[in-house]
């Protein structure tokens, strides 16, 4: 019996389809590990029951068969134990088993499979510090620890492709004739020339793509050509200080504002993003903040032009500035789909 068969047996035990002999085997293994003492009923404990049982079985050589004689267990003890093992089986079935199905299914993508099939060069970072990797087109990648990329060094190709497992910052040389693609197991990030971060560790529930400069499009990877075209046509576009979060369990993409937006440096603006206002229409203040950070701010321009704001912004964060303006004009704000929506009132009434 291997680990997969053992997991399937636990699931059969939990849903009542195991035979009497199989139930006896599970009870036997459980008693060998826990010595009739049930662990505390906490999710983190339940998550590890299947792993602990299997590790104990392998270490002790207790891979018994259905013909093995097991001790008699009182029904009351069996019922209580069933509750624990069923919970563990359900959790591991959904998390561990689901992870295996999701990431190992022929219908999904694999970093190693892509690297081998395309005979790509590979660079990994097994150190504790970020590692810079230069690409043939002049772009570079800052690879975070425990991460790796695979790529082709063919500068004559009509597109540039990098496969990522882990986390990396990309500074891409602009070349409109040769788009740059970053592939994770579930997402495609397409750019022409920009800088952005991608975080996609195998066991993370969420993949994150965050833009620093320029613009990127993000869409889900599909095996079927028609489905891939549909996903590409519905791609999410993100700009500086925006990010995309892909939920692996729900297969859903959400656009939002990055956690710590930074001022966008443009011609004619100072480097520290200082802004000073004296009895300035609130609409002009909000437009100045939007320009400084590149984050869309939605508001009623005519309405808020009748509200004024006096103050100076120095080291405040983006959201602190928005909050100060809203407090001054008695407005509220919310963020959705990568933008800020301001709701205010006529200050002259």
């Amino acid at each position: 019996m291997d680990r997969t068969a053992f997991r399937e047996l636990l699931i059969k035990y939990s849903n009542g389809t195991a035979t009497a002999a199989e139930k006896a085997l599970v009870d036997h293994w459980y008693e060998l590990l826990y010595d009739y003492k049930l662990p505390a009923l906490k999710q983190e404990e339940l998550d590890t029951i299947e792993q602990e049982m299997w590790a104990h079985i392998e270490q002790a050589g207790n891979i018994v068969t259905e013909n093995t004689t097991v001790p008699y267990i009182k029904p009351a003890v069996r019922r209580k134990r069933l509750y624990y093992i069923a919970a563990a089986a359900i959790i591991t079935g959904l998390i561990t088993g689901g992870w295996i199905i999701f990431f190992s299914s022929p219908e999904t993508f694999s970093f190693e499979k892509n690297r081998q099939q395309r005979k790509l060069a590979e660079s990994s970072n097994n150190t504790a510090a970020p590692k810079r990797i230069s690409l043939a087109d002049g772009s570079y990648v800052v690879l975070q620890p425990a991460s790796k990329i695979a790529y082709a060094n063919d500068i004559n190709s009509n597109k540039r492709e990098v496969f990522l497992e882990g986390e990396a910052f990309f500074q891409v040389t602009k070349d409109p004739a040769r788009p740059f693609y970053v592939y994770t197991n579930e997402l495609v990030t397409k750019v022409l020339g920009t800088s952005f971060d991608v975080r996609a560790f195998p066991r993370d529930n969420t993949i994150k793509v965050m833009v620093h400069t320029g613009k990127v499009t993000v869409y889900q990877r599909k095996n079927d050509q028609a489905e891939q075209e549909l996903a590409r046509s519905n791609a999410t576009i993100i700009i500086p200080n925006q990010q995309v979060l892909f939920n692996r369990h729900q297969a859903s993409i959400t656009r939002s504002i990055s956690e710590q937006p930074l001022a966008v440096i443009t011609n004619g603006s100072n480097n520290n993003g200082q802004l000073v206002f004296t009895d300035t229409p609130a609409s002009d203040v909000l437009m100045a903040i939007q320009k400084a950070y590149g984050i869309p701010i939605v508001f009623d321009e005519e309405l808020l032009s009748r509200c004024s704001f006096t103050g100076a912004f120095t080291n405040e964060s983006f959201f602190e500035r928005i909050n100060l303006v809203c407090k001054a004009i008695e407005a509220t704000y919310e963020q959705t789909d990568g933008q800020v929506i301001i709701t205010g009132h006529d200050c002259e009434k």
Side-chain angles (χ1 to χ4, degrees):
M1 177 183 294
D2 58 16
R3 180 69 175 271
T4 301
F6 177 67
R7 185 178 300 110
E8 291 173 352
L9 177 56
L10 281 187
I11 295 173
K12 288 173 65 179
Y13 185 103
S14 69
N15 61 28
T17 59
T19 66
E22 288 173 332
K23 290 178 181 178
L25 285 176
V26 173
D27 286 328
H28 175 62
W29 289 328
Y30 189 90
E31 298 303 343
L32 289 173
L33 175 60
Y34 294 111
D35 193 25
Y36 292 91
K37 297 178 182 179
L38 296 175
L41 185 56
K42 297 179 181 179
Q43 180 167 329
E44 58 266 27
E45 296 286 352
L46 295 175
D47 290 348
T48 60
I49 287 178
E50 182 257 1
Q51 181 178 349
E52 290 178 348
M53 288 177 68
W54 181 253
H56 182 81
I57 290 167
E58 286 190 315
Q59 182 179 4
N62 292 308
I63 310 296
V64 293
T65 66
E66 293 193 9
N67 296 323
T68 302
T69 301
V70 297
Y72 170 75
I73 301 170
K74 295 180 180 180
V77 177
R78 177 189 293 276
R79 283 194 298 270
K80 191 173 183 182
R81 186 176 308 107
L82 171 61
Y83 176 64
Y84 282 81
I85 298 179
I90 291 171
I91 291 173
T92 55
L94 290 177
I95 297 177
T96 309
W99 184 88
I100 290 176
I101 292 172
F102 189 82
F103 292 100
S104 301
S105 167
E107 297 301 314
T108 60
F109 299 91
S110 160
F111 173 89
E112 190 60 29
K113 189 174 181 180
N114 283 316
R115 187 190 67 79
Q116 292 179 358
Q117 286 180 342
R118 299 173 181 238
K119 298 180 180 180
L120 302 174
E122 180 181 342
S123 293
S124 59
N125 185 359
N126 299 317
T127 71
K131 176 181 179 181
R132 176 168 170 155
I133 301 167
S134 298
L135 303 180
D137 68 327
S139 303
Y140 68 85
V141 181
V142 178
L143 198 60
Q144 296 299 319
S147 304
K148 55 187 176 181
I149 58 171
Y151 52 93
N153 284 314
D154 184 7
I155 60 175
N156 297 317
S157 174
N158 59 359
K159 60 181 177 180
R160 298 166 288 173
E161 297 179 301
V162 174
F163 296 83
L164 169 69
E165 183 175 287
E167 183 177 5
F169 167 80
F170 294 85
Q171 179 67 58
V172 178
T173 300
K174 186 172 294 186
D175 187 350
R178 300 174 64 229
F180 192 102
Y181 294 87
V182 176
Y183 300 94
T184 64
N185 283 357
E186 298 84 11
L187 288 186
V188 181
T189 301
K190 176 185 176 182
V191 305
L192 296 178
T194 183
S195 60
F196 59 98
D197 285 291
V198 180
R199 178 184 172 92
F201 286 100
R203 292 185 180 273
D204 284 353
N205 178 43
T206 302
I207 298 176
K208 180 168 72 173
V209 180
M210 184 175 67
V211 175
H212 295 283
T213 62
K215 180 190 301 182
V216 310
T217 59
V218 181
Y219 53 92
Q220 197 170 350
R221 290 182 76 181
K222 298 288 185 179
N223 275 307
D224 181 79
Q225 185 174 355
E227 291 183 355
Q228 186 65 88
E229 288 299 324
L230 180 61
R232 186 181 292 113
S233 65
N234 294 320
T236 300
I237 299 174
I238 53 176
I239 57 178
N241 287 320
Q242 287 184 337
Q243 64 185 11
V244 153
L245 300 176
F246 176 77
N247 187 300
R248 281 171 158 159
H249 292 169
Q250 300 174 2
S252 61
I253 293 178
T254 303
R255 178 170 51 191
S256 62
I257 298 172
S258 59
E259 296 176 2
Q260 296 179 328
L262 299 176
V264 178
I265 306 301
T266 58
N267 292 332
S269 68
N270 51 26
N271 290 341
N272 56 15
Q274 292 186 5
L275 298 171
V276 180
F277 305 96
T278 302
D279 200 22
T280 306
S283 56
D284 292 349
V285 178
L286 292 172
M287 289 296 292
I289 297 175
Q290 176 177 274
K291 182 178 180 181
Y293 289 88
I295 298 173
I297 303 176
V298 180
F299 58 92
D300 188 324
E301 186 173 354
E302 181 180 355
L303 183 69
L304 296 191
S305 66
R306 296 192 285 271
C307 299
S308 62
F309 176 83
T310 297
F313 296 139
T314 54
N315 298 320
E316 296 84 1
S317 69
F318 170 78
F319 286 110
E320 287 173 337
R321 296 182 180 193
I322 292 293
N323 192 49
L324 286 172
V325 175
C326 286
K327 281 186 175 181
I329 64 175
E330 298 181 344
T332 60
Y333 75 92
E334 62 178 331
Q335 54 172 311
T336 179
D337 196 28
Q339 60 187 1
V340 172
I341 300 176
I342 306 288
T343 303
H345 64 93
D346 191 339
C347 296
E348 294 183 352
K349 292 184 179 180

